[in-house]
Amino acid sequence: MNSEMTVLKMSDDFGSAAYERFLDLCASRGCDSSPLGDGRELRIRRVDQETRGSSPHLDDGIHPQHAHTDESYTITGEEEAQTLEILASTENGVFRALCAIAMNPGPASGLIGTHIPVYPWRALSLDVARYQASPSEIESVIDLAALQGLSALHLHLSDHQSWRVPVEGFEALSEGGAFSWADLEELGEYARRRYITIIPEIDMPGHCASLLRTYPELSGRSSFAHPFVSYIDVHQQRSRRFLESCVDSLARIATGPYIHIGGDEVLGMPEQDYDKAITIMGDHAHHRGCKVMAWQEACRATFTADAYQYWMADEDIPSEESLLKEWPDEFASVAHQAAVMYAQCRDDLERIRSKGAALIDSRQSYLYLDRRYAERSGREGQNIRLRSLGFPGYEAKDSMEVLQWSPLERSEVAQGGIAGHTDGIEAALWTETVRSLSDMTMLLLPRLSMVSSLSWRTTPLRHSDAPGTSKREQVLTRIRRQLANSAGAWERFGYDDYYRSSSVFDGSAAPRTARPAVDK
């Protein structure tokens, strides 16, 4: 940090732990300037939670940690004043406030008010199997998640392309680029210092081509129609032991109560075998005292998970015709199986509701951040990179469309009978086309910032909105203003490769309203 530090005043040493962790984050990002600007005064004071209200989902939603934690905070002060004060009831709340201030280095008017998370579960899912991100790259994503006010990082540790996690009794899996236990423990501790919970996932019983390349005997058969539609044979004792050992690995990695057992897109596996695989993993996890999260398809199994990750809404279900166009003619039967499997997603919300499980909203239409941008970038090199970066199977969308999404207002949630009971949100970054941290940054920002902003509720201490504007319009206006300030903060913290969206920023990084992309 600069020699002219922000003057810090605390009551009863409250806030010192959060401030030290924040300084550690700044140092890790090579940021040498004060979050408030040199010479300004920051006060931190402990205030009971009741003075600011609480999240509408704090009591009946789910938290990625073992117990609900009050993350809310209030920031007081005058726009041009040299003093800001943070009011919070926990160190976590102080840390969230410090990150918010760091991400909004301009006028304080957008910060003054009470900030409460709409959902305790505010997560990013990061695929580290398709692109084998290094520990240092994951640390950079953890820092970004913290700065953006998220509470959890979901690590997708296995898939067809690679296997990244050690499994006891199956040590050969560790020879292909898997993390060491030391790597994973250090990542967990790094995340803990950022108030980020690690939710590890091993995706079973499908998505396992990398597993079967090393242990082909676990499939119980000589071949599959395609490597990407393979699955493990649950009738073998060794396979069942493998599934339980996967749970043991996940339990060792997790820094909270939740582990993720996968369960999505298992093509061709007999229903009773799929049910058995999910039940083996789920029961073993519960026996160990873990809470279980799974992709939405797992709600079709007998076992009931504690939470389901809902990723495919009705509008996202591909037709058989579109799948046949994507697959070569010799795989027409696979495309048909996929169409049948995806069609079952239409009833998953009702299944989840009937099980009484929690719902984590990860709908790909808005929350899959490997989707290509429809609008051009103000940095021409990014327009060139975008030709190969981003999953080509998704329709490109304008960044500003993220702000049209609200988990409490989506029609399909209401149709599923669970309106008002979405328990968390989770964006996802899949990495088929990613080759570097720079690529990840370009896909994540600015959209991750928008998702995070929508997951917090801010109550201004004084009203300055134009008369006649709706609450949602006020929220969107606030977010657009914040984006202009955040661009400079991203650069200061080392995330210079954010996408220079022509729909979000003009030449001076000022936010703009959404408009169709123009092909120049």
Side-chain angles (χ1 to χ4, degrees):
M1 306 293 283
N2 282 346
S3 57
E4 291 188 64
M5 293 285 291
T6 297
V7 178
L8 183 65
K9 294 185 178 181
M10 293 174 284
S11 60
D12 303 325
D13 206 36
F14 173 70
S16 60
Y19 194 70
E20 287 302 316
R21 292 187 185 190
F22 177 72
L23 294 182
D24 181 54
L25 187 159
C26 291
S28 72
R29 302 304 309 157
C31 181
D32 62 355
S33 57
S34 165
L36 289 177
D38 296 334
R40 299 185 70 177
E41 181 175 290
L42 172 64
R43 296 175 179 173
I44 300 175
R45 182 158 55 95
R46 189 197 305 268
V47 178
D48 291 339
Q49 178 182 348
E50 288 73 16
T51 63
R52 297 178 319 283
S54 62
S55 166
H57 292 268
L58 265 177
D59 296 324
D60 61 356
I62 60 173
H63 197 287
Q65 263 303 334
H66 291 278
H68 290 306
T69 300
D70 180 21
E71 301 174 83
S72 63
Y73 58 90
T74 297
I75 296 177
T76 65
E78 297 298 326
E79 181 172 340
E80 302 302 329
Q82 291 298 304
T83 300
L84 287 181
E85 184 173 41
I86 296 172
L87 310 177
S89 65
T90 66
E91 296 282 345
N92 193 321
V94 173
F95 184 82
R96 302 294 180 211
L98 291 168
C99 289
I101 294 171
M103 287 292 99
N104 293 273
S109 57
L111 293 167
I112 303 303
T114 295
H115 305 258
I116 301 172
V118 179
Y119 299 105
W121 191 294
R122 307 176 310 282
L124 171 66
S125 174
L126 179 64
D127 172 13
V128 297
R130 292 175 174 87
Y131 170 65
Q132 295 189 12
S134 67
S136 63
E137 289 174 321
I138 297 173
E139 288 175 353
S140 293
V141 176
I142 291 171
D143 287 341
L144 179 61
L147 288 166
Q148 295 299 154
L150 302 185
S151 60
L153 180 67
H154 164 181
L155 290 178
H156 183 79
L157 291 162
S158 70
D159 217 295
H160 296 307
Q161 291 80 357
S162 72
W163 191 278
R164 305 297 308 279
V165 56
V167 179
E168 185 175 353
F170 299 84
E171 281 71 20
L173 288 171
S174 298
E175 298 173 2
F179 297 115
S180 67
W181 285 121
D183 290 334
L184 293 165
E185 289 167 2
E186 288 171 8
L187 282 172
E189 175 58 22
Y190 191 92
R192 186 191 67 79
R193 296 198 305 271
R194 308 301 193 250
Y195 296 94
I196 296 292
T197 301
I198 297 295
I199 301 161
E201 177 195 357
I202 294 178
D203 198 355
M204 286 284 114
H207 280 269
C208 61
S210 60
L211 165 69
L212 299 181
R213 285 194 295 271
T214 307
Y215 292 100
E217 66 273 16
L218 294 181
S219 70
R221 55 192 294 178
S222 57
S223 65
F224 289 92
H226 189 280
F228 282 11
V229 296
S230 54
Y231 51 85
I232 139 181
D233 177 18
V234 294
H235 297 284
Q236 299 183 50
Q237 183 178 357
R238 182 166 167 78
S239 296
R240 295 193 294 272
R241 187 167 67 251
F242 174 76
L243 293 175
E244 291 183 343
S245 295
C246 285
V247 170
D248 294 337
S249 293
L250 294 172
R252 181 172 174 178
I253 300 165
T255 61
Y258 283 90
I259 64 170
H260 200 306
I261 63 173
D264 66 313
E265 297 182 312
V266 186
L267 288 173
M269 189 175 193
E271 289 185 9
Q272 64 272 22
D273 291 356
Y274 176 80
D275 187 290
K276 188 170 185 177
I278 295 297
T279 300
I280 288 171
M281 295 187 77
D283 282 349
H284 188 60
H286 279 169
H287 179 72
R288 287 193 56 114
C290 299
K291 291 185 177 181
V292 176
M293 186 176 179
W295 293 103
Q296 70 184 74
E297 293 94 321
C299 72
R300 305 166 202 166
T302 304
F303 172 81
T304 297
D306 298 278
Y308 292 97
Q309 191 167 358
Y310 182 56
W311 68 283
M312 182 165 283
D314 289 1
E315 65 192 65
D316 303 315
I317 297 175
S319 66
E320 184 169 351
E321 181 182 5
S322 66
L323 291 170
L324 287 169
K325 290 179 180 178
E326 293 179 14
W327 288 78
D329 291 344
E330 60 267 31
F331 297 119
S333 62
V334 175
H336 174 71
Q337 288 179 21
V340 172
M341 176 192 68
Y342 289 133
Q344 295 181 63
C345 292
R346 299 186 189 279
D347 298 319
D348 284 342
L349 277 173
E350 179 59 30
R351 293 186 182 102
I352 294 170
R353 184 199 64 79
S354 65
K355 285 175 173 285
L359 175 74
I360 303 300
D361 191 341
S362 289
R363 280 167 284 176
Q364 61 168 276
S365 296
Y366 296 97
L367 294 173
Y368 273 25
L369 303 185
D370 54 320
R371 185 183 296 274
R372 287 178 175 171
Y373 297 95
E375 76 276 20
R376 291 180 62 83
S377 168
R379 180 177 284 184
E380 186 56 35
Q382 291 185 335
N383 295 318
I384 297 172
R385 288 172 63 188
L386 203 59
R387 297 171 187 170
S388 58
L389 182 61
F391 188 63
Y394 300 144
E395 177 188 0
K397 286 191 176 184
D398 192 285
S399 299
M400 297 301 292
E401 291 194 35
V402 172
L403 298 183
Q404 299 175 11
W405 161 80
S406 172
L408 295 179
E409 298 174 2
R410 300 291 292 164
S411 60
E412 57 264 47
V413 175
Q415 291 170 4
I418 54 175
H421 291 284
T422 300
D423 296 286
I425 62 173
E426 185 169 317
L429 181 63
W430 304 104
T431 58
E432 287 95 338
T433 64
V434 166
R435 298 293 179 268
S436 65
L437 176 63
S438 172
D439 287 348
M440 288 192 279
T441 301
M442 183 170 153
L443 290 172
L444 287 172
L445 295 173
R447 294 178 294 192
L448 183 65
S449 180
M450 297 179 186
V451 173
S452 176
S453 295
L454 289 170
S455 68
W456 284 80
R457 186 180 75 228
T458 298
T459 304
L461 296 184
R462 50 184 174 274
H463 297 281
S464 58
D465 298 295
T469 57
S470 68
K471 287 185 177 179
R472 182 160 182 80
E473 288 172 333
Q474 294 171 18
V475 169
L476 297 184
T477 297
R478 172 178 55 82
I479 292 173
R480 291 185 181 109
R481 289 171 180 166
Q482 288 176 348
L483 285 170
N485 288 332
S486 294
W490 295 332
E491 294 175 16
R492 188 158 58 97
F493 279 86
Y495 302 102
D496 182 63
D497 291 303
Y498 70 90
Y499 191 68
R500 266 60 171 189
S501 164
S502 59
S503 291
V504 177
F505 309 110
D506 63 16
S508 60
R512 303 174 63 177
T513 56
R515 61 176 177 79
V518 177
D519 186 13
K520 296 182 179 178

